[in-house]
Amino acid sequence: MLRLAYFVSHPIQYQAPLLRLIAADPEIELKVFFYSDFSLKAYQDEGFGRLIEWDVPLTQGYDYHFLDCWGSKKQQNVLQQSFAKDISKQLKQGQFDAIWVHGWSWLCSIQAVLAANKLGIPVLIRGESNGISEPTNAFKKIAKKVFLGWLFKKIAGFLYIGTFNRQFYKRYGVEDKQLFCVPYAVDNDYFQKQAVVAHAHREELRRSLNLDPDRPIILYAAKLIDVKRPQDLLAAYRLLSSDGVQEPDPYLLFVGDGVLRPILEAQAKETNWQSIRFLGFRNQSQMPAVYDLCDVFVLPSDFEPWGLAINEVMNAGKAVVVSDRVGCVPDLVKEGQNGRTFPVGDVAALAESIRFCITNQSSAGDISFQQIQKWSYQEDLQGLKQALNYLQVKA
């Protein structure tokens, strides 16, 4: 049995089921080290503009420890980050065969890498960088190249989350033998089972929202903030009207909160249409029913490292429309099959992509469901084991 230490900023709703799966594997003894516990209680989310308290278990089913840190626990930016006092101590006591670090944005993550190097423990790293949003400032470009060149020399194996992420590592000189696919996934079993449960109550939910039974539904589910570009979706939706006056046949549902909500609601009110609805924030346990309700899911973001909502809604068998600056595009969106990709900010192209998916929603949804079966936590576990085997052989 290999002893593996995993370092990550805080308990994350997307990661908890994966950590439980790894911990249950007889070949791996996992211990998770967190830098902060802020996500375990209600906290103010700046993007949603409200208090968030997750309604799914975040720390059950695996061994974990909150590091002894001094400094800020908010972790909003580099200046507020905390430093861990006991990383070296924990690594020595645990006698770990390898450590796995999530990303390099946190000072504690860098501490973990340096401490492991000093103790001769090999390091695996998994980050979200994809090259879509790179610095344009010359100094920042050079600084990033120097920093990553320094850091990557200290890493034995790289766990890439998808195609763009793999290409990113290659551009920074990482060798093929060091790369292992540990895809960005969600708990497929959970979302599929919950979608089946939700399907039985779909018409009841439609009635509660006063939605006609035969009209398609376009869904946006994300923070209502500039980088997500919900205003582009509203503008594209207006193009679906036959004459700019009559409301389109599909409904448009916005799920989420954020600073743009009052602006979007005012713009929607100007249309005098009853087909645009703002449902507010929905917690994790409520999302499968929302996904089941829709026919087409739209993520028009200016930048997404991945876009895990796409994974989630594909488990409900839905068509997807995604901007070309979303990290999951080459892996999950099969152009003209389970959905469409459009150039970010191109409202006309977004409207045309929605039209295509509304017309082909049934076949596109089937392809989405088939595609997501190959992108799961099982592939994550397999990729992690391949990386750990590589470390053993290398040693």
Side-chain angles (χ1 to χ4, degrees):
M1 180 179 285
L2 287 171
R3 291 181 58 78
L4 175 65
Y6 176 48
F7 290 85
V8 64
S9 56
H10 60 281
I12 299 170
Q13 71 272 22
Y14 292 115
Q15 293 191 10
L18 173 59
L19 298 178
R20 286 193 283 272
L21 178 67
I22 296 169
D25 191 278
E27 297 177 15
I28 300 173
E29 186 175 341
L30 177 70
K31 182 151 188 179
V32 180
F33 293 94
F34 296 115
Y35 317 148
S36 172
D37 64 354
F38 77 87
S39 58
L40 295 185
K41 45 191 178 287
Y43 65 96
Q44 185 69 26
D45 187 290
E46 292 185 3
F48 281 123
R50 54 165 289 160
L51 278 175
I52 299 295
E53 186 170 8
W54 298 112
D55 64 354
V56 291
L58 300 182
T59 55
Q60 292 180 12
Y62 58 88
D63 189 16
Y64 65 91
H65 172 78
F66 289 101
L67 290 168
D68 183 11
C69 296
W70 62 270
S72 173
K73 297 291 185 72
K74 295 179 181 179
Q75 300 187 342
Q76 298 294 326
N77 57 51
V78 173
L79 295 177
Q80 291 180 320
Q81 285 187 40
S82 56
F83 290 85
K85 304 175 187 176
D86 57 339
I87 288 180
S88 292
K89 173 186 168 185
Q90 293 293 336
L91 289 180
K92 287 176 184 176
Q93 288 180 348
Q95 298 182 321
F96 295 101
D97 298 293
I99 79 162
W100 166 21
V101 178
H102 184 70
W104 48 83
S105 298
W106 309 111
L107 297 178
C108 290
S109 298
I110 306 303
Q111 281 185 272
V113 172
L114 295 176
N117 279 189
K118 189 173 181 180
L119 294 169
I121 304 171
V123 179
L124 300 173
I125 202 160
R126 187 187 192 214
E128 300 178 343
S129 296
N130 54 27
I132 293 175
S133 182
E134 289 289 279
T136 54
N137 177 280
F139 174 77
K140 288 183 178 179
K141 277 186 178 180
I142 294 170
K144 181 175 183 178
K145 187 174 182 180
V146 170
F147 169 72
L148 291 182
W150 169 81
L151 177 65
F152 286 0
K153 288 177 183 176
K154 303 179 182 302
I155 309 299
F158 297 78
L159 312 179
Y160 66 89
I161 64 172
T163 299
F164 284 159
N165 188 223
R166 188 182 194 281
Q167 291 171 354
F168 172 85
Y169 289 133
K170 291 287 289 179
R171 282 197 296 275
Y172 281 88
V174 176
E175 298 181 45
D176 287 336
K177 66 180 181 181
Q178 294 177 278
L179 290 161
F180 304 91
C181 184
V182 181
Y184 245 21
V186 299
D187 191 346
N188 286 1
D189 289 343
Y190 170 81
F191 279 98
Q192 289 174 21
K193 288 175 182 175
Q194 292 302 114
V196 170
V197 172
H199 186 76
H201 303 280
R202 181 191 292 174
E203 296 313 312
E204 180 183 336
L205 179 57
R206 269 185 175 267
R207 287 193 297 271
S208 71
L209 297 173
N210 197 25
L211 302 172
D212 294 340
D214 299 324
R215 295 174 64 176
I217 293 173
I218 303 163
L219 175 65
Y220 171 99
K223 295 174 182 177
L224 299 175
I225 56 178
D226 285 324
V227 72
K228 304 288 186 180
R229 301 186 74 99
Q231 64 273 29
D232 288 357
L233 176 54
L234 182 55
Y237 181 71
R238 297 180 75 158
L239 295 180
L240 300 182
S241 169
S242 58
D243 57 4
V245 178
Q246 291 191 350
E247 67 182 31
D249 183 46
Y251 289 106
L252 173 59
L253 305 186
F254 285 98
V255 172
D257 270 318
V259 293
L260 293 182
R261 180 169 178 174
I263 298 170
L264 293 166
E265 287 181 324
Q267 292 174 346
K269 190 174 182 180
E270 290 173 2
T271 66
N272 291 317
W273 297 339
Q274 303 303 309
S275 54
I276 306 169
R277 309 290 174 81
F278 293 85
L279 305 186
F281 174 78
R282 292 290 187 272
N283 218 314
Q284 279 294 97
S285 67
Q286 298 171 296
M287 289 310 299
V290 178
Y291 292 140
D292 173 73
L293 190 65
C294 80
D295 298 285
V296 178
F297 183 87
V298 182
L299 187 60
S301 301
D302 187 52
F303 173 66
E304 293 280 351
W306 182 260
L308 284 167
I310 298 299
N311 298 63
E312 293 177 348
V313 78
M314 285 174 65
N315 276 291
K318 306 299 177 177
V320 293
V321 175
V322 184
S323 87
D324 59 357
R325 291 178 61 82
V326 174
C328 69
V329 162
D331 300 291
L332 298 185
V333 184
K334 302 303 177 186
E335 189 65 26
Q337 297 182 47
N338 72 319
R340 293 283 287 271
T341 305
F342 68 95
V344 69
D346 189 334
V347 171
L350 172 53
E352 182 53 40
S353 297
I354 294 171
R355 285 194 192 96
F356 170 85
C357 288
I358 290 290
T359 303
N360 299 279
Q361 58 184 273
S362 180
S363 60
D366 289 343
I367 295 169
S368 276
F369 189 77
Q370 294 164 13
Q371 175 69 11
I372 204 63
Q373 307 307 311
K374 301 174 285 187
W375 206 265
S376 73
Y377 287 155
Q378 294 300 328
E379 281 74 31
D380 286 333
L381 182 58
Q382 181 181 347
L384 178 60
K385 284 186 172 183
Q386 289 172 350
L388 292 171
N389 289 337
Y390 166 75
L391 297 183
Q392 285 185 293
V393 171
K394 186 181 176 186

